[in-house]
Amino acid sequence: MTEHTSSRSRKPLILGVSLGFFFVALIAVAVAYAVHYSARALPNVTVAGQSVSGMTRDEIVSMVDERAAGMKVNLKVEGHSTELALADMGMTVDSQGSAEQALAPNKSILERFAVHHDVPAAVTVDDVKLRDLSNKVASSLGTPVVDASVHPAEDQESFVATSSQAGRGVAYEELRSALGEAARTLRGGDLELTASNLSPVVDDHTAQGIAESANKLAQIPVEISDGEDVI
């Protein structure tokens, strides 16, 4: 065997060894990557638009809490401005839930190599507080919407209905959607909404029907007995 022939025969061996080293190195890098991000947010993951890549759960929680605490929305409706914190909007940001969503792909090794995107902040809504805000916005415009209602009469023996009133304000679902989006993105600043003429949810006819039904029930005699005496 000549020197030239020997050199040619070694080339496949050298190539095979080189490829072997390459794949071993590649696997080692992949394993190191997977282990490093097992308890940290993956690359390209953001929460409410802010990168959390490489952050631990506690670090994500701290970041979300800090942004939520400092967030202010300046709600503008027909020239009237109201500065609102999350609590004023009836919104609560769940920093633990936000961190859980950001780290959810880490549960699967294969998912750790996928491309990830923005995770919105986890938000819960207190509709009672938000409706109070909706009423305040309407009041600032001059004529709030008033639903008809039913309450006991002065004699406490019957029920009467109060009248409804059409008004002007921001539709509740529109307000809820806009403020919810601001909370999920933790994006403060100016938020301008358009007011419109609104009708009451409970009108006079509905309230009057409820009052009449309640009065009919109130007229039904009721007897309470202990088995011997009737009260």
Side-chain angles (χ1 to χ4, degrees), residues 155-179:
D155 60 11
Q156 298 297 310
E157 294 183 359
S158 61
F159 294 90
V160 294
T162 60
S163 299
S164 62
Q165 172 183 283
R168 190 164 179 77
V170 178
Y172 180 74
E173 288 304 323
E174 181 182 350
L175 181 67
R176 193 181 195 277
S177 175
L179 293 180

mmCIF file with all atom_site columns, all heavy atoms in Angstrom, residues 155-179:
data_model
loop_
_atom_site.group_PDB
_atom_site.id
_atom_site.type_symbol
_atom_site.label_atom_id
_atom_site.label_alt_id
_atom_site.label_comp_id
_atom_site.label_asym_id
_atom_site.label_entity_id
_atom_site.label_seq_id
_atom_site.pdbx_PDB_ins_code
_atom_site.Cartn_x
_atom_site.Cartn_y
_atom_site.Cartn_z
_atom_site.occupancy
_atom_site.B_iso_or_equiv
_atom_site.pdbx_formal_charge
_atom_site.auth_seq_id
_atom_site.auth_comp_id
_atom_site.auth_asym_id
_atom_site.auth_atom_id
_atom_site.pdbx_PDB_model_num
ATOM 1   N N   . ASP A 1 155 ? -94.922  52.349 53.336 1.00 0.00 ? 155 ASP A N   1
ATOM 2   C CA  . ASP A 1 155 ? -95.717  51.599 54.319 1.00 0.00 ? 155 ASP A CA  1
ATOM 3   C C   . ASP A 1 155 ? -95.129  50.217 54.617 1.00 0.00 ? 155 ASP A C   1
ATOM 4   O O   . ASP A 1 155 ? -95.630  49.494 55.482 1.00 0.00 ? 155 ASP A O   1
ATOM 5   C CB  . ASP A 1 155 ? -97.164  51.455 53.850 1.00 0.00 ? 155 ASP A CB  1
ATOM 6   C CG  . ASP A 1 155 ? -97.274  50.723 52.509 1.00 0.00 ? 155 ASP A CG  1
ATOM 7   O OD1 . ASP A 1 155 ? -96.255  50.139 52.048 1.00 0.00 ? 155 ASP A OD1 1
ATOM 8   O OD2 . ASP A 1 155 ? -98.369  50.723 51.921 1.00 0.00 ? 155 ASP A OD2 1
ATOM 9   N N   . GLN A 1 156 ? -94.065  49.857 53.882 1.00 0.00 ? 156 GLN A N   1
ATOM 10  C CA  . GLN A 1 156 ? -93.386  48.569 54.057 1.00 0.00 ? 156 GLN A CA  1
ATOM 11  C C   . GLN A 1 156 ? -94.307  47.372 53.823 1.00 0.00 ? 156 GLN A C   1
ATOM 12  O O   . GLN A 1 156 ? -94.006  46.251 54.211 1.00 0.00 ? 156 GLN A O   1
ATOM 13  C CB  . GLN A 1 156 ? -92.794  48.471 55.480 1.00 0.00 ? 156 GLN A CB  1
ATOM 14  C CG  . GLN A 1 156 ? -91.737  49.514 55.788 1.00 0.00 ? 156 GLN A CG  1
ATOM 15  C CD  . GLN A 1 156 ? -90.505  49.380 54.909 1.00 0.00 ? 156 GLN A CD  1
ATOM 16  O OE1 . GLN A 1 156 ? -89.943  48.296 54.780 1.00 0.00 ? 156 GLN A OE1 1
ATOM 17  N NE2 . GLN A 1 156 ? -90.085  50.487 54.292 1.00 0.00 ? 156 GLN A NE2 1
ATOM 18  N N   . GLU A 1 157 ? -95.455  47.617 53.145 1.00 0.00 ? 157 GLU A N   1
ATOM 19  C CA  . GLU A 1 157 ? -96.404  46.542 52.891 1.00 0.00 ? 157 GLU A CA  1
ATOM 20  C C   . GLU A 1 157 ? -96.573  46.251 51.404 1.00 0.00 ? 157 GLU A C   1
ATOM 21  O O   . GLU A 1 157 ? -97.324  45.358 51.024 1.00 0.00 ? 157 GLU A O   1
ATOM 22  C CB  . GLU A 1 157 ? -97.768  46.893 53.504 1.00 0.00 ? 157 GLU A CB  1
ATOM 23  C CG  . GLU A 1 157 ? -97.729  46.957 55.031 1.00 0.00 ? 157 GLU A CG  1
ATOM 24  C CD  . GLU A 1 157 ? -99.105  47.245 55.622 1.00 0.00 ? 157 GLU A CD  1
ATOM 25  O OE1 . GLU A 1 157 ? -100.059 47.411 54.823 1.00 0.00 ? 157 GLU A OE1 1
ATOM 26  O OE2 . GLU A 1 157 ? -99.228  47.298 56.855 1.00 0.00 ? 157 GLU A OE2 1
ATOM 27  N N   . SER A 1 158 ? -95.901  46.997 50.593 1.00 0.00 ? 158 SER A N   1
ATOM 28  C CA  . SER A 1 158 ? -95.990  46.792 49.149 1.00 0.00 ? 158 SER A CA  1
ATOM 29  C C   . SER A 1 158 ? -94.665  47.200 48.499 1.00 0.00 ? 158 SER A C   1
ATOM 30  O O   . SER A 1 158 ? -93.752  47.675 49.174 1.00 0.00 ? 158 SER A O   1
ATOM 31  C CB  . SER A 1 158 ? -97.148  47.612 48.556 1.00 0.00 ? 158 SER A CB  1
ATOM 32  O OG  . SER A 1 158 ? -96.917  49.002 48.788 1.00 0.00 ? 158 SER A OG  1
ATOM 33  N N   . PHE A 1 159 ? -94.597  47.001 47.176 1.00 0.00 ? 159 PHE A N   1
ATOM 34  C CA  . PHE A 1 159 ? -93.384  47.341 46.432 1.00 0.00 ? 159 PHE A CA  1
ATOM 35  C C   . PHE A 1 159 ? -93.710  48.351 45.346 1.00 0.00 ? 159 PHE A C   1
ATOM 36  O O   . PHE A 1 159 ? -94.795  48.317 44.744 1.00 0.00 ? 159 PHE A O   1
ATOM 37  C CB  . PHE A 1 159 ? -92.776  46.080 45.798 1.00 0.00 ? 159 PHE A CB  1
ATOM 38  C CG  . PHE A 1 159 ? -92.262  45.094 46.804 1.00 0.00 ? 159 PHE A CG  1
ATOM 39  C CD1 . PHE A 1 159 ? -93.095  44.097 47.312 1.00 0.00 ? 159 PHE A CD1 1
ATOM 40  C CD2 . PHE A 1 159 ? -90.953  45.163 47.262 1.00 0.00 ? 159 PHE A CD2 1
ATOM 41  C CE1 . PHE A 1 159 ? -92.621  43.185 48.246 1.00 0.00 ? 159 PHE A CE1 1
ATOM 42  C CE2 . PHE A 1 159 ? -90.470  44.247 48.181 1.00 0.00 ? 159 PHE A CE2 1
ATOM 43  C CZ  . PHE A 1 159 ? -91.310  43.263 48.684 1.00 0.00 ? 159 PHE A CZ  1
ATOM 44  N N   . VAL A 1 160 ? -92.790  49.249 45.094 1.00 0.00 ? 160 VAL A N   1
ATOM 45  C CA  . VAL A 1 160 ? -92.982  50.260 44.053 1.00 0.00 ? 160 VAL A CA  1
ATOM 46  C C   . VAL A 1 160 ? -91.753  50.269 43.140 1.00 0.00 ? 160 VAL A C   1
ATOM 47  O O   . VAL A 1 160 ? -90.655  49.867 43.537 1.00 0.00 ? 160 VAL A O   1
ATOM 48  C CB  . VAL A 1 160 ? -93.190  51.668 44.649 1.00 0.00 ? 160 VAL A CB  1
ATOM 49  C CG1 . VAL A 1 160 ? -94.485  51.737 45.429 1.00 0.00 ? 160 VAL A CG1 1
ATOM 50  C CG2 . VAL A 1 160 ? -92.010  52.056 45.523 1.00 0.00 ? 160 VAL A CG2 1
ATOM 51  N N   . ALA A 1 161 ? -91.966  50.743 41.917 1.00 0.00 ? 161 ALA A N   1
ATOM 52  C CA  . ALA A 1 161 ? -90.875  50.823 40.934 1.00 0.00 ? 161 ALA A CA  1
ATOM 53  C C   . ALA A 1 161 ? -90.440  52.268 40.759 1.00 0.00 ? 161 ALA A C   1
ATOM 54  O O   . ALA A 1 161 ? -91.263  53.184 40.799 1.00 0.00 ? 161 ALA A O   1
ATOM 55  C CB  . ALA A 1 161 ? -91.343  50.251 39.605 1.00 0.00 ? 161 ALA A CB  1
ATOM 56  N N   . THR A 1 162 ? -89.153  52.471 40.609 1.00 0.00 ? 162 THR A N   1
ATOM 57  C CA  . THR A 1 162 ? -88.626  53.805 40.319 1.00 0.00 ? 162 THR A CA  1
ATOM 58  C C   . THR A 1 162 ? -88.330  53.888 38.820 1.00 0.00 ? 162 THR A C   1
ATOM 59  O O   . THR A 1 162 ? -88.121  52.870 38.153 1.00 0.00 ? 162 THR A O   1
ATOM 60  C CB  . THR A 1 162 ? -87.322  54.077 41.091 1.00 0.00 ? 162 THR A CB  1
ATOM 61  O OG1 . THR A 1 162 ? -86.335  53.101 40.710 1.00 0.00 ? 162 THR A OG1 1
ATOM 62  C CG2 . THR A 1 162 ? -87.558  53.969 42.591 1.00 0.00 ? 162 THR A CG2 1
ATOM 63  N N   . SER A 1 163 ? -88.318  55.084 38.304 1.00 0.00 ? 163 SER A N   1
ATOM 64  C CA  . SER A 1 163 ? -88.158  55.286 36.858 1.00 0.00 ? 163 SER A CA  1
ATOM 65  C C   . SER A 1 163 ? -86.700  55.167 36.415 1.00 0.00 ? 163 SER A C   1
ATOM 66  O O   . SER A 1 163 ? -85.769  55.453 37.172 1.00 0.00 ? 163 SER A O   1
ATOM 67  C CB  . SER A 1 163 ? -88.690  56.673 36.466 1.00 0.00 ? 163 SER A CB  1
ATOM 68  O OG  . SER A 1 163 ? -90.061  56.776 36.762 1.00 0.00 ? 163 SER A OG  1
ATOM 69  N N   . SER A 1 164 ? -86.541  54.763 35.178 1.00 0.00 ? 164 SER A N   1
ATOM 70  C CA  . SER A 1 164 ? -85.216  54.689 34.576 1.00 0.00 ? 164 SER A CA  1
ATOM 71  C C   . SER A 1 164 ? -84.886  56.014 33.896 1.00 0.00 ? 164 SER A C   1
ATOM 72  O O   . SER A 1 164 ? -85.746  56.883 33.739 1.00 0.00 ? 164 SER A O   1
ATOM 73  C CB  . SER A 1 164 ? -85.162  53.554 33.557 1.00 0.00 ? 164 SER A CB  1
ATOM 74  O OG  . SER A 1 164 ? -86.086  53.804 32.508 1.00 0.00 ? 164 SER A OG  1
ATOM 75  N N   . GLN A 1 165 ? -83.621  56.134 33.466 1.00 0.00 ? 165 GLN A N   1
ATOM 76  C CA  . GLN A 1 165 ? -83.209  57.354 32.783 1.00 0.00 ? 165 GLN A CA  1
ATOM 77  C C   . GLN A 1 165 ? -82.116  57.035 31.766 1.00 0.00 ? 165 GLN A C   1
ATOM 78  O O   . GLN A 1 165 ? -81.115  56.399 32.104 1.00 0.00 ? 165 GLN A O   1
ATOM 79  C CB  . GLN A 1 165 ? -82.677  58.369 33.808 1.00 0.00 ? 165 GLN A CB  1
ATOM 80  C CG  . GLN A 1 165 ? -82.049  59.606 33.189 1.00 0.00 ? 165 GLN A CG  1
ATOM 81  C CD  . GLN A 1 165 ? -81.466  60.535 34.230 1.00 0.00 ? 165 GLN A CD  1
ATOM 82  O OE1 . GLN A 1 165 ? -82.203  61.258 34.905 1.00 0.00 ? 165 GLN A OE1 1
ATOM 83  N NE2 . GLN A 1 165 ? -80.157  60.509 34.392 1.00 0.00 ? 165 GLN A NE2 1
ATOM 84  N N   . ALA A 1 166 ? -82.327  57.436 30.535 1.00 0.00 ? 166 ALA A N   1
ATOM 85  C CA  . ALA A 1 166 ? -81.281  57.283 29.520 1.00 0.00 ? 166 ALA A CA  1
ATOM 86  C C   . ALA A 1 166 ? -80.186  58.301 29.811 1.00 0.00 ? 166 ALA A C   1
ATOM 87  O O   . ALA A 1 166 ? -80.413  59.317 30.489 1.00 0.00 ? 166 ALA A O   1
ATOM 88  C CB  . ALA A 1 166 ? -81.863  57.499 28.132 1.00 0.00 ? 166 ALA A CB  1
ATOM 89  N N   . GLY A 1 167 ? -79.001  58.043 29.345 1.00 0.00 ? 167 GLY A N   1
ATOM 90  C CA  . GLY A 1 167 ? -77.901  58.960 29.645 1.00 0.00 ? 167 GLY A CA  1
ATOM 91  C C   . GLY A 1 167 ? -76.796  58.858 28.618 1.00 0.00 ? 167 GLY A C   1
ATOM 92  O O   . GLY A 1 167 ? -76.969  58.308 27.524 1.00 0.00 ? 167 GLY A O   1
ATOM 93  N N   . ARG A 1 168 ? -75.650  59.384 28.999 1.00 0.00 ? 168 ARG A N   1
ATOM 94  C CA  . ARG A 1 168 ? -74.500  59.394 28.108 1.00 0.00 ? 168 ARG A CA  1
ATOM 95  C C   . ARG A 1 168 ? -73.291  58.838 28.849 1.00 0.00 ? 168 ARG A C   1
ATOM 96  O O   . ARG A 1 168 ? -73.061  59.141 30.021 1.00 0.00 ? 168 ARG A O   1
ATOM 97  C CB  . ARG A 1 168 ? -74.219  60.826 27.636 1.00 0.00 ? 168 ARG A CB  1
ATOM 98  C CG  . ARG A 1 168 ? -73.195  60.909 26.518 1.00 0.00 ? 168 ARG A CG  1
ATOM 99  C CD  . ARG A 1 168 ? -73.241  62.259 25.837 1.00 0.00 ? 168 ARG A CD  1
ATOM 100 N NE  . ARG A 1 168 ? -72.247  62.363 24.772 1.00 0.00 ? 168 ARG A NE  1
ATOM 101 C CZ  . ARG A 1 168 ? -72.366  61.811 23.579 1.00 0.00 ? 168 ARG A CZ  1
ATOM 102 N NH1 . ARG A 1 168 ? -73.462  61.119 23.282 1.00 0.00 ? 168 ARG A NH1 1
ATOM 103 N NH2 . ARG A 1 168 ? -71.415  61.935 22.670 1.00 0.00 ? 168 ARG A NH2 1
ATOM 104 N N   . GLY A 1 169 ? -72.538  58.011 28.166 1.00 0.00 ? 169 GLY A N   1
ATOM 105 C CA  . GLY A 1 169 ? -71.356  57.431 28.806 1.00 0.00 ? 169 GLY A CA  1
ATOM 106 C C   . GLY A 1 169 ? -70.636  56.511 27.835 1.00 0.00 ? 169 GLY A C   1
ATOM 107 O O   . GLY A 1 169 ? -70.932  56.481 26.640 1.00 0.00 ? 169 GLY A O   1
ATOM 108 N N   . VAL A 1 170 ? -69.679  55.756 28.377 1.00 0.00 ? 170 VAL A N   1
ATOM 109 C CA  . VAL A 1 170 ? -68.942  54.773 27.588 1.00 0.00 ? 170 VAL A CA  1
ATOM 110 C C   . VAL A 1 170 ? -69.599  53.409 27.796 1.00 0.00 ? 170 VAL A C   1
ATOM 111 O O   . VAL A 1 170 ? -69.857  53.015 28.936 1.00 0.00 ? 170 VAL A O   1
ATOM 112 C CB  . VAL A 1 170 ? -67.465  54.702 28.011 1.00 0.00 ? 170 VAL A CB  1
ATOM 113 C CG1 . VAL A 1 170 ? -66.723  53.638 27.212 1.00 0.00 ? 170 VAL A CG1 1
ATOM 114 C CG2 . VAL A 1 170 ? -66.796  56.066 27.823 1.00 0.00 ? 170 VAL A CG2 1
ATOM 115 N N   . ALA A 1 171 ? -69.911  52.722 26.720 1.00 0.00 ? 171 ALA A N   1
ATOM 116 C CA  . ALA A 1 171 ? -70.530  51.396 26.836 1.00 0.00 ? 171 ALA A CA  1
ATOM 117 C C   . ALA A 1 171 ? -69.672  50.511 27.738 1.00 0.00 ? 171 ALA A C   1
ATOM 118 O O   . ALA A 1 171 ? -68.441  50.495 27.615 1.00 0.00 ? 171 ALA A O   1
ATOM 119 C CB  . ALA A 1 171 ? -70.674  50.771 25.458 1.00 0.00 ? 171 ALA A CB  1
ATOM 120 N N   . TYR A 1 172 ? -70.325  49.802 28.634 1.00 0.00 ? 172 TYR A N   1
ATOM 121 C CA  . TYR A 1 172 ? -69.585  49.045 29.656 1.00 0.00 ? 172 TYR A CA  1
ATOM 122 C C   . TYR A 1 172 ? -68.605  48.051 29.053 1.00 0.00 ? 172 TYR A C   1
ATOM 123 O O   . TYR A 1 172 ? -67.449  47.961 29.482 1.00 0.00 ? 172 TYR A O   1
ATOM 124 C CB  . TYR A 1 172 ? -70.567  48.312 30.579 1.00 0.00 ? 172 TYR A CB  1
ATOM 125 C CG  . TYR A 1 172 ? -69.856  47.517 31.643 1.00 0.00 ? 172 TYR A CG  1
ATOM 126 C CD1 . TYR A 1 172 ? -69.248  48.149 32.719 1.00 0.00 ? 172 TYR A CD1 1
ATOM 127 C CD2 . TYR A 1 172 ? -69.760  46.124 31.549 1.00 0.00 ? 172 TYR A CD2 1
ATOM 128 C CE1 . TYR A 1 172 ? -68.563  47.432 33.687 1.00 0.00 ? 172 TYR A CE1 1
ATOM 129 C CE2 . TYR A 1 172 ? -69.079  45.404 32.515 1.00 0.00 ? 172 TYR A CE2 1
ATOM 130 C CZ  . TYR A 1 172 ? -68.491  46.060 33.576 1.00 0.00 ? 172 TYR A CZ  1
ATOM 131 O OH  . TYR A 1 172 ? -67.798  45.334 34.520 1.00 0.00 ? 172 TYR A OH  1
ATOM 132 N N   . GLU A 1 173 ? -69.024  47.290 28.068 1.00 0.00 ? 173 GLU A N   1
ATOM 133 C CA  . GLU A 1 173 ? -68.145  46.278 27.477 1.00 0.00 ? 173 GLU A CA  1
ATOM 134 C C   . GLU A 1 173 ? -66.941  46.916 26.789 1.00 0.00 ? 173 GLU A C   1
ATOM 135 O O   . GLU A 1 173 ? -65.842  46.359 26.795 1.00 0.00 ? 173 GLU A O   1
ATOM 136 C CB  . GLU A 1 173 ? -68.922  45.398 26.487 1.00 0.00 ? 173 GLU A CB  1
ATOM 137 C CG  . GLU A 1 173 ? -69.894  44.441 27.145 1.00 0.00 ? 173 GLU A CG  1
ATOM 138 C CD  . GLU A 1 173 ? -69.231  43.531 28.172 1.00 0.00 ? 173 GLU A CD  1
ATOM 139 O OE1 . GLU A 1 173 ? -68.077  43.116 27.941 1.00 0.00 ? 173 GLU A OE1 1
ATOM 140 O OE2 . GLU A 1 173 ? -69.855  43.253 29.202 1.00 0.00 ? 173 GLU A OE2 1
ATOM 141 N N   . GLU A 1 174 ? -67.153  48.102 26.206 1.00 0.00 ? 174 GLU A N   1
ATOM 142 C CA  . GLU A 1 174 ? -66.039  48.819 25.576 1.00 0.00 ? 174 GLU A CA  1
ATOM 143 C C   . GLU A 1 174 ? -65.035  49.273 26.633 1.00 0.00 ? 174 GLU A C   1
ATOM 144 O O   . GLU A 1 174 ? -63.822  49.154 26.454 1.00 0.00 ? 174 GLU A O   1
ATOM 145 C CB  . GLU A 1 174 ? -66.561  50.030 24.807 1.00 0.00 ? 174 GLU A CB  1
ATOM 146 C CG  . GLU A 1 174 ? -65.472  50.826 24.110 1.00 0.00 ? 174 GLU A CG  1
ATOM 147 C CD  . GLU A 1 174 ? -65.997  52.056 23.395 1.00 0.00 ? 174 GLU A CD  1
ATOM 148 O OE1 . GLU A 1 174 ? -67.242  52.193 23.279 1.00 0.00 ? 174 GLU A OE1 1
ATOM 149 O OE2 . GLU A 1 174 ? -65.179  52.896 22.966 1.00 0.00 ? 174 GLU A OE2 1
ATOM 150 N N   . LEU A 1 175 ? -65.561  49.805 27.748 1.00 0.00 ? 175 LEU A N   1
ATOM 151 C CA  . LEU A 1 175 ? -64.692  50.236 28.850 1.00 0.00 ? 175 LEU A CA  1
ATOM 152 C C   . LEU A 1 175 ? -63.942  49.051 29.436 1.00 0.00 ? 175 LEU A C   1
ATOM 153 O O   . LEU A 1 175 ? -62.729  49.120 29.681 1.00 0.00 ? 175 LEU A O   1
ATOM 154 C CB  . LEU A 1 175 ? -65.539  50.904 29.927 1.00 0.00 ? 175 LEU A CB  1
ATOM 155 C CG  . LEU A 1 175 ? -64.794  51.443 31.155 1.00 0.00 ? 175 LEU A CG  1
ATOM 156 C CD1 . LEU A 1 175 ? -63.893  52.611 30.766 1.00 0.00 ? 175 LEU A CD1 1
ATOM 157 C CD2 . LEU A 1 175 ? -65.779  51.872 32.243 1.00 0.00 ? 175 LEU A CD2 1
ATOM 158 N N   . ARG A 1 176 ? -64.633  47.951 29.630 1.00 0.00 ? 176 ARG A N   1
ATOM 159 C CA  . ARG A 1 176 ? -64.025  46.745 30.207 1.00 0.00 ? 176 ARG A CA  1
ATOM 160 C C   . ARG A 1 176 ? -62.920  46.203 29.299 1.00 0.00 ? 176 ARG A C   1
ATOM 161 O O   . ARG A 1 176 ? -61.851  45.804 29.763 1.00 0.00 ? 176 ARG A O   1
ATOM 162 C CB  . ARG A 1 176 ? -65.099  45.677 30.423 1.00 0.00 ? 176 ARG A CB  1
ATOM 163 C CG  . ARG A 1 176 ? -64.677  44.489 31.286 1.00 0.00 ? 176 ARG A CG  1
ATOM 164 C CD  . ARG A 1 176 ? -65.837  43.498 31.379 1.00 0.00 ? 176 ARG A CD  1
ATOM 165 N NE  . ARG A 1 176 ? -65.660  42.539 32.438 1.00 0.00 ? 176 ARG A NE  1
ATOM 166 C CZ  . ARG A 1 176 ? -64.937  41.433 32.358 1.00 0.00 ? 176 ARG A CZ  1
ATOM 167 N NH1 . ARG A 1 176 ? -64.303  41.155 31.232 1.00 0.00 ? 176 ARG A NH1 1
ATOM 168 N NH2 . ARG A 1 176 ? -64.859  40.604 33.384 1.00 0.00 ? 176 ARG A NH2 1
ATOM 169 N N   . SER A 1 177 ? -63.197  46.196 27.996 1.00 0.00 ? 177 SER A N   1
ATOM 170 C CA  . SER A 1 177 ? -62.225  45.676 27.047 1.00 0.00 ? 177 SER A CA  1
ATOM 171 C C   . SER A 1 177 ? -60.973  46.551 26.992 1.00 0.00 ? 177 SER A C   1
ATOM 172 O O   . SER A 1 177 ? -59.839  46.042 27.009 1.00 0.00 ? 177 SER A O   1
ATOM 173 C CB  . SER A 1 177 ? -62.861  45.588 25.653 1.00 0.00 ? 177 SER A CB  1
ATOM 174 O OG  . SER A 1 177 ? -61.913  45.198 24.689 1.00 0.00 ? 177 SER A OG  1
ATOM 175 N N   . ALA A 1 178 ? -61.154  47.870 26.936 1.00 0.00 ? 178 ALA A N   1
ATOM 176 C CA  . ALA A 1 178 ? -60.022  48.790 26.812 1.00 0.00 ? 178 ALA A CA  1
ATOM 177 C C   . ALA A 1 178 ? -59.151  48.770 28.064 1.00 0.00 ? 178 ALA A C   1
ATOM 178 O O   . ALA A 1 178 ? -57.915  48.710 27.984 1.00 0.00 ? 178 ALA A O   1
ATOM 179 C CB  . ALA A 1 178 ? -60.528  50.201 26.545 1.00 0.00 ? 178 ALA A CB  1
ATOM 180 N N   . LEU A 1 179 ? -59.778  48.816 29.233 1.00 0.00 ? 179 LEU A N   1
ATOM 181 C CA  . LEU A 1 179 ? -59.007  48.805 30.471 1.00 0.00 ? 179 LEU A CA  1
ATOM 182 C C   . LEU A 1 179 ? -58.382  47.432 30.717 1.00 0.00 ? 179 LEU A C   1
ATOM 183 O O   . LEU A 1 179 ? -57.276  47.332 31.253 1.00 0.00 ? 179 LEU A O   1
ATOM 184 C CB  . LEU A 1 179 ? -59.899  49.199 31.654 1.00 0.00 ? 179 LEU A CB  1
ATOM 185 C CG  . LEU A 1 179 ? -60.398  50.641 31.650 1.00 0.00 ? 179 LEU A CG  1
ATOM 186 C CD1 . LEU A 1 179 ? -61.273  50.916 32.875 1.00 0.00 ? 179 LEU A CD1 1
ATOM 187 C CD2 . LEU A 1 179 ? -59.236  51.626 31.607 1.00 0.00 ? 179 LEU A CD2 1
#
